[in-house]
Amino acid sequence: MAESKDNKINHTQKATEAAEDRFALLVDSVKDYGIFLLDINGFIVSWNKGAERIKGYSSSEVIGKHFSIFYLPDDVSRNHPQYELKMAIKDGRYEEEGWRLRKNGTKFWANVVITALKDSRNELIGFSKVTRDLTERKVAEEKLRKSEERFRRMFEGVKDYAMIMLNPDGTIASWNEGARRIKGYEPHEIIGKYFSIFYPEQDVQMGKCEYELREATETGRFEDEGWRVRKDKTKFWASVLITAIRDDEGNVIGFTKVTRDITDRKRADDLLKMAYANLEKRVEERTQQLIETNKKLQEAVRARDEFLSIASHELRTPLTPLKMQIQSLLKMITKQNVESISVDRAQRMAETCDKSISRLNNLLENLLDVSRINLGKMILSYETFDLTELARSIVARYENEINTSGSAVSFEATSSVLGTFDHLRIEQVFTNLLMNALKYGARKPIKIKVYSNDTHAFIVFIDKGIGIAKSEQARIFQRFERVESNVNIGGLGLGLFISQQIIEAHGGKIEVESELAEGTTFTVKIPLTRFNN
Amino acid sequence: MKKKILVIEDDHEIRQTIVDVLSDEGYDVLSAENGLEGLKLLQETEIPPGLIIVDWMMPVMDGKVFRKEQLKMSKFACVPTILFSANGQISQSAIGVEYDDFVKKPIDLDQLFALAEKYC
């Protein structure tokens, strides 16, 4: 019995040993896991193929060594290997991931499970240690982590752009430095708020925020420029780009919103636009001025050409009788019948020549006056005299002309109007106005008044003649202008221009009141005392 | 007997001179200050003048209107008429009214006499 019992025991023992051998072989052949045993002090007692592959040591090299040879010097110096064993004893098992060293000194990322091995009396007999090389996974994870970190840092660190993430409902999910700088909110103040907080009230009411998210969802992105509001309620001009973010199934999982403060650019643009508009306006104005100047120049050229034509016509008028009278006299002398000329005829001949020469002289004087006025050389020689007396003498001097004109001239004057004027120039003005009245008076009565108040002398010519249309009245004092009418009346058109210049040089003015076909009143007002320009 | 000449000219000196020089030559000279007066004179005249000398630019009625009116009067339509003007630009084609001759001021006396001789 005892023998059979011994045999049985022996048999069982053998079977167990055989199983252990097989198990040892199995463990030894596992290549993906480093599986080895440590004694209670952490010295290596077994080694498998996987351990050799992962760590590079052969079993003969490593058995009997302390397992801390796989640890980084830092871990060793802080007794991490011992800590691991302690934890395994305490909890039965210890697992961690960490950097370990290969024989060749390179690091690998290891998943380590240490199990405390106890015998049937629960006494520690050693440790099993299973190590996996997870370096590849770790490297990939690290790469991803670094990339995400880099991205996060970049995202957060961007200062010139507000880069924020919105949740699908438009609430703010993240906030960067640029957003803080541009919009003024700290992350804790703003995260979770709806993004309409950045929009002017009017835009919010119009549903602009919802519209922007809808656009971004439908088309992928929404781009805009417009006014946005900072925390301190000031506004800034923003360039905004909202992009929808989708998951692999295409669902919108949020939005990125990139905002730039381009207020300065906007201001510069606005200033530029304003400057451009101003420039355009100025160009327009200048062009208009040039057009007007050109028009005036053309008008001046036209007036000058017309004047030259009128002047040559006017000069020919007194030349005609002068030439005919002289030729007539020459003919008589040639025919030797000068004696036959009657005294009357001879007198008319001489008078006609004299008058014609005077007329030519007057025309030339007028032309010279215009030239003097143009050159600013009209100099007045003041003397004190009685204007009434001068007026009366001129009317008397032109008795013949008055009679020829057919107009009756009445003269009303206060007994004396003493003043200081240029005698010859005032005479010229009076004569001009008288000749005009006779020329355009249509044979109707002409009234002349001379009077004064405390400061001014007045000369008034009232005729009932052809009159001047209102539209023409401004023109009549201009150089070379004669009122166009259906009556062809000669004249250089310089009389009123010269008269006005003379009166203005005296510090006075000359005014016209007239109705077409009813007559004209010219009023001259001159200071009684010398005018100092 | 020398024929009658009608002179229509608004300028007193010119008118008087033409009257004088033509009278010296023995013509019977009538004168008027403007076209309207000229027409009146014609209407009052029994024997038509042999020649009319008319100025272009005149107040009341100018030489052009006078000529048009004259041509309407059967009795005087064929009286030779000379246009007398200081405006060198005026030409037969430009004025649109027919004249028998055109004389520019200032006129040469011989030319005036030659024309008087020719038409009268």
Side-chain angles (χ1 to χ4, degrees):
Chain A
M1 270 298 279
E3 195 182 304
S4 99
K5 194 181 173 184
D6 282 350
N7 279 346
K8 202 174 176 181
I9 290 166
N10 218 10
H11 182 75
T12 308
Q13 199 171 354
K14 275 183 182 165
T16 306
E17 278 172 4
E20 278 178 357
D21 285 349
R22 278 201 301 277
F23 182 72
L25 279 172
L26 171 74
V27 168
D28 187 50
S29 65
V30 168
K31 284 182 179 168
D32 292 334
Y33 292 83
I35 302 170
F36 51 96
L37 294 170
L38 304 177
D39 67 12
I40 55 171
N41 294 314
F43 287 96
I44 299 158
V45 293
S46 81
W47 197 242
N48 79 335
K49 288 272 190 305
E52 187 176 334
R53 194 185 64 80
I54 292 169
K55 306 200 180 193
Y57 296 98
S58 65
S59 59
S60 60
E61 286 172 324
V62 83
I63 288 176
K65 295 265 172 64
H66 193 266
F67 85 109
S68 62
I69 61 166
F70 309 132
Y71 286 75
L72 302 178
D74 275 358
D75 292 337
V76 176
S77 63
R78 63 186 175 99
N79 290 323
H80 190 66
Q82 284 77 9
Y83 167 80
E84 286 183 358
L85 296 184
K86 212 183 279 174
M87 291 308 289
I89 294 165
K90 181 174 163 261
D91 299 330
R93 181 177 186 281
Y94 176 81
E95 183 172 357
E96 74 158 28
E97 284 189 7
W99 289 110
R100 298 293 183 268
L101 282 175
R102 291 194 181 91
K103 181 189 167 189
N104 64 8
T106 59
K107 288 194 290 185
F108 69 97
W109 186 257
N111 173 274
V112 178
V113 179
I114 299 176
T115 310
L117 301 174
K118 291 175 180 175
D119 62 11
S120 53
R121 286 168 299 168
N122 204 29
E123 282 200 10
L124 182 73
I125 54 166
F127 302 91
S128 73
K129 191 168 182 236
V130 180
T131 303
R132 267 190 302 159
D133 180 355
L134 298 180
T135 308
E136 268 181 35
R137 197 197 75 190
K138 176 68 181 171
V139 167
E141 276 177 6
E142 191 64 12
K143 221 169 161 182
L144 186 66
R145 193 190 62 75
K146 275 193 176 155
S147 157
E148 281 179 350
E149 175 70 11
R150 247 196 333 264
F151 181 72
R152 190 181 60 79
R153 280 173 188 277
M154 183 193 83
F155 186 84
E156 284 176 356
V158 169
K159 288 175 181 170
D160 295 333
Y161 291 78
M163 299 172 85
I164 65 177
M165 304 282 286
L166 299 179
N167 295 313
D169 64 357
T171 54
I172 295 152
S174 80
W175 195 245
N176 80 335
E177 175 60 18
R180 193 187 69 77
R181 281 168 61 123
I182 292 173
K183 306 193 181 188
Y185 296 97
E186 294 299 330
H188 70 271
E189 294 174 310
I190 198 72
I191 287 175
K193 297 257 171 69
Y194 187 54
F195 82 115
S196 68
I197 194 165
F198 310 130
Y199 289 72
E201 189 55 37
Q202 204 184 353
D203 287 353
V204 176
Q205 280 173 6
M206 282 167 63
K208 188 168 167 62
C209 304
E210 293 73 22
Y211 167 76
E212 290 182 1
L213 293 189
R214 208 164 46 241
E215 275 291 303
T217 305
E218 283 168 12
T219 65
R221 70 206 296 272
F222 173 82
E223 207 168 351
D224 184 31
E225 275 190 16
W227 290 109
R228 297 291 184 271
V229 183
R230 294 192 181 90
K231 184 185 170 188
D232 64 8
K233 304 295 177 205
T234 56
K235 284 186 180 173
F236 66 99
W237 187 260
S239 153
V240 178
L241 173 65
I242 299 178
T243 312
I245 311 168
R246 292 172 193 276
D247 63 13
D248 293 341
E249 280 80 43
N251 303 309
V252 172
I253 53 166
F255 301 92
T256 58
K257 184 166 184 279
V258 180
T259 305
R260 256 188 318 153
D261 178 353
I262 54 166
T263 312
D264 288 346
R265 200 189 77 190
K266 161 87 174 158
R267 282 205 190 106
D269 278 0
D270 287 352
L271 279 174
L272 200 67
K273 271 182 202 157
M274 228 157 74
Y276 187 72
N278 276 340
L279 193 69
E280 272 194 332
K281 202 177 148 204
R282 277 177 56 196
V283 168
E284 180 70 26
E285 281 170 1
R286 197 82 190 90
T287 308
Q288 202 53 44
Q289 278 173 9
L290 282 173
I291 289 169
E292 274 161 27
T293 307
N294 196 31
K295 229 188 239 172
K296 280 183 191 160
L297 277 173
Q298 283 177 349
E299 185 56 28
V301 169
R302 185 202 61 76
R304 191 204 60 193
D305 290 349
E306 198 180 296
F307 169 74
L308 288 174
S309 154
I310 291 167
S312 60
H313 179 275
E314 288 301 308
L315 289 167
R316 279 190 194 119
T317 302
L319 273 178
T320 303
L322 190 60
K323 182 173 176 172
M324 287 204 291
Q325 294 290 4
I326 302 281
Q327 282 187 337
S328 172
L329 183 62
L330 275 173
K331 259 187 201 305
M332 288 171 188
I333 292 166
T334 314
K335 288 180 185 167
Q336 296 189 332
N337 58 354
V338 182
E339 296 83 1
S340 68
I341 304 173
S342 68
V343 176
D344 271 3
R345 175 79 179 90
Q347 192 180 347
R348 272 209 306 280
M349 218 175 237
E351 276 173 2
T352 303
C353 288
D354 184 46
K355 263 191 188 166
S356 298
I357 289 165
S358 294
R359 280 172 71 180
L360 279 172
N361 190 50
N362 281 339
L363 287 167
L364 292 174
E365 278 299 328
N366 275 345
L367 288 174
L368 277 173
D369 276 346
V370 172
S371 163
R372 281 187 200 115
I373 291 163
N374 280 348
L375 295 169
K377 281 185 182 166
M378 190 166 70
I379 296 159
L380 301 180
S381 342
Y382 280 96
E383 57 185 293
T384 304
F385 61 92
D386 180 3
L387 200 60
T388 305
E389 203 182 298
L390 172 69
R392 212 183 288 280
S393 72
I394 297 170
V395 174
R397 195 187 310 160
Y398 287 97
E399 198 188 340
N400 278 342
E401 282 78 0
I402 292 169
N403 291 339
T404 314
S405 77
S407 289
V409 173
S410 65
F411 185 70
E412 271 178 36
T414 43
S415 58
S416 104
V417 174
L418 262 185
T420 305
F421 322 104
D422 182 318
H423 191 282
L424 282 174
R425 291 298 186 184
I426 295 298
E427 187 178 332
Q428 195 178 351
V429 172
F430 195 94
T431 310
N432 263 330
L433 291 174
L434 177 62
M435 290 303 139
N436 264 343
L438 295 178
K439 205 192 272 183
Y440 299 106
R443 297 176 172 271
K444 290 177 182 161
I446 294 165
K447 193 184 275 181
I448 305 168
K449 293 185 193 175
V450 178
Y451 60 94
S452 65
N453 61 17
D454 290 347
T455 55
H456 288 82
F458 295 87
I459 304 169
V460 185
F461 278 83
I462 305 163
D463 72 57
K464 300 288 174 197
I466 60 170
I468 306 158
K470 291 269 183 260
S471 56
E472 305 280 4
Q473 287 176 14
R475 272 196 326 129
I476 57 169
F477 294 109
Q478 287 170 20
R479 219 169 317 185
F480 314 141
E481 290 293 351
R482 290 183 314 168
V483 172
E484 300 290 332
S485 69
N486 55 357
V487 280
N488 292 312
I489 295 174
L492 280 178
L494 291 174
L496 283 173
F497 168 70
I498 293 167
S499 297
Q500 191 188 41
Q501 297 295 321
I502 291 170
I503 296 303
E504 284 180 357
H506 279 83
K509 58 183 178 178
I510 179 164
E511 285 174 339
V512 64
E513 271 178 68
S514 185
E515 287 290 337
L516 207 57
E518 286 185 16
T520 305
T521 299
F522 280 102
T523 305
V524 176
K525 182 184 176 189
I526 340 165
L528 287 170
T529 52
R530 187 183 175 132
F531 172 69
N532 290 312
N533 195 356
Chain B
M1 194 186 103
K2 290 278 184 178
K3 281 195 178 176
K4 203 190 291 182
I5 298 177
L6 171 59
V7 177
I8 310 171
E9 163 67 57
D10 65 323
D11 187 273
H12 178 261
E13 271 72 40
I14 297 176
R15 189 172 66 244
Q16 188 58 52
T17 301
I18 296 174
V19 170
D20 279 345
V21 296
L22 288 175
S23 300
D24 287 347
E25 289 296 301
Y27 291 99
D28 180 11
V29 190
L30 296 173
S31 70
E33 274 187 36
N34 56 57
L36 196 64
E37 272 191 20
L39 287 176
K40 276 185 196 163
L41 271 179
L42 285 180
Q43 280 160 350
E44 289 163 7
T45 310
E46 285 188 16
I47 307 159
L51 175 68
I52 298 171
I53 300 171
V54 62
D55 186 22
W56 174 247
M57 271 173 59
M58 289 180 291
V60 186
M61 183 188 285
D62 64 19
K64 183 175 179 174
V65 179
F66 168 82
R67 179 62 174 159
K68 280 182 179 171
E69 292 299 317
Q70 178 212 341
L71 289 171
K72 286 181 199 164
M73 300 160 83
S74 56
K75 193 173 166 189
F76 304 106
C78 58
V79 176
T81 303
I82 298 171
L83 179 65
F84 190 47
S85 173
N87 190 338
Q89 302 289 314
I90 289 182
S91 65
Q92 194 72 268
S93 58
I95 55 179
V97 186
E98 289 273 321
Y99 293 89
D100 294 279
D101 235 312
F102 168 72
V103 183
K104 205 178 124 187
K105 291 177 190 172
I107 187 175
D108 192 84
L109 212 53
D110 286 335
Q111 193 192 354
L112 180 68
F113 292 159
L115 285 168
E117 191 70 31
K118 178 180 170 189
Y119 290 106
C120 285

